Amino acid sequence: MTKTAPKLSTLAIQHGMLWGWASVPDKPLVDVHLYFDGRHVASEFSGQLLPASVQRLIGKPPHTTAGFCFALPAATSDGFEHTLQVALPNVNDDGLYSQMLTLPAGEARGEIRQQWRLLVGTVWFASEAPRQRSLRIADSRGRLLHTKLLKPSVTPEAKGYPATFSIPLAELPAGELHISCAGQPLRGSPYTPIEFVVGALETCTTEAISGWAFNGTDPLKPIELALRIDGKVVQWFRPNMLRTDLSKELQLPDEAMGIAGFHLPPPAILFDGFPHWVEVVGAASGYLLSDGQRQVRWSYAGEKLSALASSKASITKQNFPAPKVSVVVLNRNGARVLEAMLASWERYNRSVPAELIIIDHASTDSSLVLLKRWRQRLDLKIVPLKQNDSFSDSSNRGARMARGEYVLFMNNDIQWLQDALPRMLESLQDPSVGIVGMKLLKVVGESSVGGQHASEVQHLGVRFTLNDQGYWPYEVKPDFANGEEEYSPQTVPAVTGAALLCRKVDFDAVGGFHTDYFYGFEDVELCIRLAERLNKKVICRNDCVALHHHGHTRLSGRERSIFDRLMRNSSVLESHIGLWIKQAYWRSLLSGDGFHTNERLRIALIGNADSLATSLLQALPHADILLLTSANDWKRVDNLHVLIVGDPRYDIRSLQHARVDLFILAWVKDAAAEWKALPWWSEFAGVLVPSASATRLQKALQRPVQTSTPEMPLGPLLDPDATRLRVVIRAESTDSDMQKRALLLRNHLHSEAVPCWLQNSDGLPIRVADVCVTLTRKASKRAIETRVVTGMLQVTLPLTASLPSAVWLKTELEKQVGSTFQSP
């Protein structure tokens, strides 16, 4: 018997899509790849139902699920000649390729670019005497801004008869420009002109930073500049002085020159005695002014930055007042950073009585000698240990020794820049505040911006972001789009233990740092536990700043076994509070409060789901609503949280760069039978329908639907106050009875409108889940068991047990989330 050979159809373009079919023996699902001009651009799976009109062009497929379709790449509409080809690369020795489909060039095609103050480009025409030679420039609303008659050359090139053009940008308004010829958009359109900055940094002294700058496109237009220190913007400003001398120098008429001069006092950070890079750039473009980068190293007159701790002069021991604050510092082989920390503490922290409790973790360098020297100058207690202990154990030990009302946990690699303690204590005078942190900068030389060393902001507080199958704490950086407060206090879920201040009584009340951790995340859990159990806020005083030699405390002198313990911190965090974080993250995201996450909710609409756009914009003003079309790389779903699919041709199995927590909804207005027949129908987390058609469509789809109204366009699906319940179903074996049971459970939960997915017995969840139901036939398992493991509620379900309901699963989940902080 002859085995059927793999087959690949010819290709057809219809309704803005590329269609075909592929058949491979013993493979019901075929992986198909699209090549555009010889370059791989997309992958899809077979399973599409081919319209009859397409079948008439390419022939009937061997079976109903052999069809595939691709969205045409956006570049196919640029007017140039292109080729399309699909392939089955894993079939036969060399793969199986379709015939090449060639898209002919249009009557006109061209490209644009910016050159200095000009918009320049070329249009190539297919014939010497084209019907239309006018270049058309419009705004985003289609309003005509500019036209230009093009004169093609009488000598053709490979692309056709060229006509070049050049338009001064001063003749065009600011904003997005849509450029076309003969109805054909040119390559590079729409185009937003880049700000062109002309200027120079003339002086950079301890007295002033001065120079001049103007908009090179139109000197009379205002221009925004930015002052950067070590690669970080510290000030935005506009020129504010007349510079009549520039008119002659630049050979411009006086009336063409606006206010171009600037004169700024140097920021205080430049006077700390360390080297800094000073730059003046265009705020929008980042273009550096001429001679616009200088390196300086200044100190305040009469002061020395280096501490006198190394002086051999005899110093009489002081009588220190009773401490109000106890500072707990851990040290291991930290002599290199410890002296700078102590010197900066002595220099700046003079207004609040404080004791320093230094717990040394068996240092082998000169740390202990250095600390003994500093006991003459600071109220300093040294606790030498014989082993390298954990952050939690030693910090708790230091807190027990503390005599102060407040405890400041601080890394040995912090360098103070100001007397920040009074402001931090000020926040704790509010009884609703439980913990206070501060802004931390990475020290010069630890990172690189534009090839130069930079002092970047390391910490403005801690929030959460997606990581693997859960949500990870991360240190917040400046983010103007999402409203992070870089220069004023802000409420956050947590702050870093590198500089963490709290009341001693509150610290003791919640049991201190959890000792399951080893130098990682113990500070995050402490903050959240204290906030939840005592109903108090965590504040990051970003109007207070210190330098941080990031990573020295954690990474100094660590042997391999300790690195292994560091890596286990993530599983400890997930086991302790991972389930709670999942709920908190989505509650914050959906409400738009910017608290547990500062990400903006991003919702994308596909196909006729675009009819929801207006109501979504009104109902969710804190969200970004995006429209994805087949002409705009619609399978790229980077950083989307919600995807609403209103086109059954859109195969959700071939998404690119999708988050593992992406919430995918089907928007069904009609053609219920077509939707229900899709091979990926069960993968949708929910089904959304117009309210007027809800009864009819629910009956036809045989699946619960959510009704969309103008007031609630997504129904209750994204209610921020509701408990998220997402279930993954796992079978311990692949035998048919187990698989049938898994399928039965999935259909059962789907009938109760629960998002759920099947998982292979040896695989990981394909999506973030709150509950994992594991089917087992072990004789020892006779009743349903529940426990929390790595951020999920694990439910063990014997084959003989009744199927759990959605209500029962949600109740068990809420019990576990609610009990997260009941014990220390």
Side-chain angles (χ1 to χ4, degrees):
M1 183 175 178
T2 304
K3 189 174 182 179
T4 305
K7 294 181 180 179
L8 190 56
S9 72
T10 57
L11 305 177
I13 294 177
Q14 195 172 90
H15 308 304
M17 308 289 288
L18 180 71
W19 298 85
W21 55 258
S23 175
V24 178
D26 303 323
K27 283 190 176 182
L29 195 67
V30 180
D31 188 12
V32 187
H33 297 256
L34 174 64
Y35 291 83
F36 177 70
D37 292 340
R39 179 174 56 89
H40 183 271
V41 294
S43 300
E44 291 285 2
F45 294 106
S46 62
Q48 290 279 358
L49 298 176
L50 298 182
S53 57
V54 171
Q55 293 189 40
R56 285 194 291 269
L57 294 173
I58 65 175
K60 187 176 181 180
H63 51 85
T64 57
T65 58
F68 62 80
C69 74
F70 287 92
L72 290 173
T76 57
S77 61
D78 65 6
F80 289 88
E81 180 181 294
H82 297 288
T83 60
L84 294 166
Q85 188 176 32
V86 299
L88 310 181
N90 300 320
V91 174
N92 301 332
D93 293 335
D94 299 320
L96 183 61
Y97 295 84
S98 72
Q99 291 181 334
M100 194 84 71
L101 181 63
T102 300
L103 304 179
E107 172 61 31
R109 59 270 185 201
E111 55 193 19
I112 57 169
R113 67 186 187 281
Q114 183 174 337
Q115 182 177 307
W116 201 246
R117 308 178 194 184
L118 302 172
L119 183 69
V120 301
T122 304
V123 177
W124 291 272
F125 295 96
S127 60
E128 187 177 358
R131 293 188 299 273
Q132 175 62 268
R133 300 184 182 186
S134 291
L135 185 77
R136 187 179 189 273
I137 302 179
D139 63 12
S140 57
R141 297 184 179 181
R143 293 177 297 193
L144 185 64
L145 302 174
H146 189 92
T147 60
K148 187 176 182 66
L149 188 64
L150 299 181
K151 297 180 179 180
S153 169
V154 296
T155 305
E157 298 177 351
K159 296 178 182 179
Y161 294 86
T164 59
F165 61 87
S166 174
I167 303 171
L169 287 170
E171 298 180 8
L172 302 172
E176 192 176 74
L177 304 175
H178 292 252
I179 305 145
S180 62
C181 184
Q184 173 64 57
L186 305 191
R187 260 185 200 166
S189 175
Y191 181 77
T192 301
I194 300 171
E195 177 185 74
F196 172 56
V197 181
V198 178
L201 176 59
E202 294 176 321
T203 61
C204 183
T205 68
T206 57
E207 300 297 324
I209 298 171
S210 61
W212 57 271
F214 60 85
N215 189 324
T217 307
D218 182 354
L220 293 177
K221 286 183 179 178
I223 190 169
E224 296 284 342
L225 300 175
L227 174 64
R228 293 197 307 214
I229 306 297
D230 301 324
K232 177 183 174 298
V233 174
V234 298
Q235 186 176 348
W236 283 265
F237 64 96
R238 286 183 175 182
N240 57 4
M241 300 170 59
L242 283 172
R243 288 289 301 268
T244 54
D245 57 310
L246 293 174
S247 300
K248 291 182 179 179
E249 184 178 339
L250 300 174
Q251 298 181 351
L252 292 171
D254 291 342
E255 62 272 15
M257 179 58 65
I259 296 176
F262 60 85
H263 185 93
L264 306 174
I269 186 64
L270 295 177
F271 294 89
D272 61 3
F274 290 94
H276 294 286
W277 286 98
V278 178
E279 298 170 308
V280 180
V281 299
S285 63
Y287 284 171
L288 197 66
L289 299 193
S290 177
D291 201 22
Q293 184 182 69
R294 311 282 182 90
Q295 188 175 36
V296 302
R297 183 170 183 169
W298 301 329
S299 298
Y300 286 113
E303 292 189 11
K304 292 183 179 179
L305 286 177
S306 56
L308 299 178
S310 60
S311 171
K312 296 183 179 179
S314 175
I315 301 175
T316 303
K317 185 172 181 179
Q318 302 179 36
N319 292 319
F320 300 105
K324 184 174 184 178
V325 176
S326 297
V327 185
V328 177
V329 180
L330 313 188
N331 178 70
R332 175 175 168 82
N333 294 332
R336 182 174 64 85
V337 293
L338 194 58
E339 181 143 19
M341 183 274 288
L342 294 170
S344 67
W345 180 268
E346 181 187 48
R347 178 184 180 189
Y348 289 108
N349 293 283
R350 299 174 177 175
S351 56
V352 178
E355 64 174 347
L356 284 88
I357 302 170
I358 313 290
I359 301 179
D360 187 80
H361 286 189
S363 291
T364 57
D365 66 355
S366 59
S367 292
L368 291 176
V369 174
L370 182 153
L371 289 170
K372 289 176 183 177
R373 215 167 47 228
W374 273 93
R375 280 192 303 191
Q376 304 296 320
R377 309 175 62 162
L378 297 172
D379 187 355
L380 191 155
K381 296 174 179 59
I382 306 170
V383 182
L385 302 183
K386 295 182 179 180
Q387 75 282 348
N388 184 11
D389 213 342
S390 73
F391 178 90
S392 297
D393 283 325
S394 284
S395 294
N396 291 344
R397 181 184 291 111
R400 290 192 295 271
M401 297 174 58
R403 294 181 293 142
E405 180 184 355
Y406 303 93
V407 182
L408 172 65
F409 299 97
M410 187 173 76
N411 279 13
N412 63 351
D413 51 8
I414 293 291
Q415 187 172 336
W416 291 85
L417 301 176
Q418 60 185 159
D419 190 6
L421 209 49
R423 293 189 197 176
M424 297 174 75
L425 287 170
E426 178 184 75
S427 292
L428 285 175
Q429 304 317 300
D430 181 348
S432 69
V433 176
I435 288 177
V436 180
M438 65 189 302
K439 176 165 66 178
L440 298 177
L441 302 178
K442 293 182 180 180
V443 297
V444 174
E446 288 204 344
S447 60
S448 181
V449 174
Q452 301 295 340
H453 291 306
S455 287
E456 297 176 8
V457 173
Q458 173 213 326
H459 173 268
L460 298 174
V462 172
R463 303 196 196 276
F464 294 91
T465 190
L466 178 67
N467 181 73
D468 197 18
Q469 300 297 317
Y471 299 93
W472 207 256
Y474 73 98
E475 292 179 304
V476 174
K477 307 294 192 299
D479 188 339
F480 300 102
N482 292 329
E484 294 296 349
E485 296 292 345
E486 187 178 355
Y487 300 103
S488 58
Q490 66 176 357
T491 305
V492 291
V495 295
T496 176
L500 185 155
L501 178 70
C502 63
R503 301 178 190 85
K504 186 176 186 297
V505 65
D506 289 344
F507 182 79
D508 293 338
V510 297
F513 291 108
H514 204 297
T515 56
D516 284 357
Y517 295 98
F518 191 83
Y519 288 94
F521 303 140
E522 56 276 279
D523 46 4
V524 174
E525 181 170 337
L526 172 74
C527 290
I528 294 176
R529 185 173 358 113
L530 190 148
E532 290 295 313
R533 290 185 63 190
L534 304 185
N535 193 28
K536 294 190 176 184
K537 295 181 291 187
V538 177
I539 301 292
C540 198
R541 288 296 301 247
N542 294 330
D543 53 345
C544 302
V545 63
L547 288 174
H548 185 200
H549 293 262
H550 193 223
H552 183 277
T553 302
R554 181 176 298 161
L555 301 179
S556 55
R558 305 298 187 203
E559 48 271 4
R560 176 58 188 269
S561 62
I562 293 179
F563 272 104
D564 292 340
R565 292 178 68 181
L566 289 173
M567 297 303 294
R568 290 203 300 271
N569 286 324
S570 58
S571 61
V572 174
L573 180 74
E574 285 192 324
S575 297
H576 287 193
I577 62 174
L579 198 61
W580 180 90
I581 291 173
K582 284 180 179 177
Q583 298 295 319
Y585 172 90
W586 274 88
R587 186 167 57 248
S588 180
L589 178 70
L590 296 175
S591 67
D593 62 14
F595 185 63
H596 288 100
T597 177
N598 66 3
E599 298 169 25
R600 285 178 63 86
L601 175 63
R602 288 170 58 86
I603 301 175
L605 309 175
I606 290 168
N608 60 30
D610 61 5
S611 60
L612 298 171
T614 301
S615 55
L616 283 172
L617 287 168
Q618 294 175 348
L620 299 169
H622 58 278
D624 291 332
I625 311 300
L626 310 173
L627 302 179
L628 300 184
T629 67
S630 59
N632 192 25
D633 205 7
W634 68 347
K635 289 300 178 75
R636 286 290 300 261
V637 293
D638 313 52
N639 299 319
L640 290 180
H641 301 100
V642 181
L643 182 65
I644 305 176
V645 180
D647 187 339
R649 301 172 302 175
Y650 188 89
D651 190 342
I652 64 174
R653 299 171 300 177
S654 55
L655 300 177
Q656 299 174 32
H657 308 290
R659 294 168 57 107
V660 291
D661 63 349
L662 178 62
F663 197 77
I664 309 175
L665 303 173
W667 166 247
V668 181
K669 296 179 67 176
D670 49 32
E674 183 179 354
W675 280 95
K676 186 181 174 185
L678 294 175
W680 54 90
W681 175 242
S682 62
E683 298 299 310
F684 286 107
V687 181
L688 195 64
V689 300
S691 56
S693 310
T695 303
R696 173 179 62 84
L697 289 172
Q698 178 160 324
K699 183 177 180 181
L701 295 169
Q702 297 180 342
R703 183 173 174 179
V705 300
Q706 303 293 341
T707 58
S708 173
T709 64
E711 296 76 24
M712 297 183 65
L714 301 183
L717 288 171
L718 298 180
D719 179 1
D721 297 321
T723 300
R724 301 287 111 199
L725 178 60
R726 297 157 291 184
V727 180
V728 61
I729 301 167
R730 177 181 178 270
E732 285 188 340
S733 66
T734 58
D735 64 78
S736 59
D737 288 344
M738 193 76 80
Q739 296 303 311
K740 287 179 182 177
R741 183 73 166 171
L743 193 61
L744 184 64
L745 177 57
R746 186 196 68 184
N747 295 339
H748 171 67
L749 293 176
H750 271 173
S751 70
E752 296 186 302
V754 176
C756 59
W757 302 276
L758 299 178
Q759 173 205 324
N760 293 330
S761 59
D762 57 349
L764 293 172
I766 55 174
R767 292 181 176 86
V768 169
D770 309 291
V771 177
C772 177
V773 179
T774 301
L775 301 176
T776 182
R777 59 169 72 254
K778 292 179 181 177
S780 60
K781 306 291 185 184
R782 298 183 180 277
I784 298 178
E785 296 180 359
T786 62
R787 61 193 180 110
V788 175
V789 180
T790 61
M792 275 200 293
L793 174 62
Q794 300 280 349
V795 178
T796 303
L797 181 69
L799 284 181
T800 56
S802 301
L803 297 179
S805 68
V807 172
W808 184 84
L809 287 174
K810 183 172 285 190
T811 301
E812 289 298 309
L813 178 62
E814 289 172 343
K815 282 182 188 176
Q816 294 292 343
V817 172
S819 64
T820 301
F821 301 102
Q822 288 182 1
S823 58

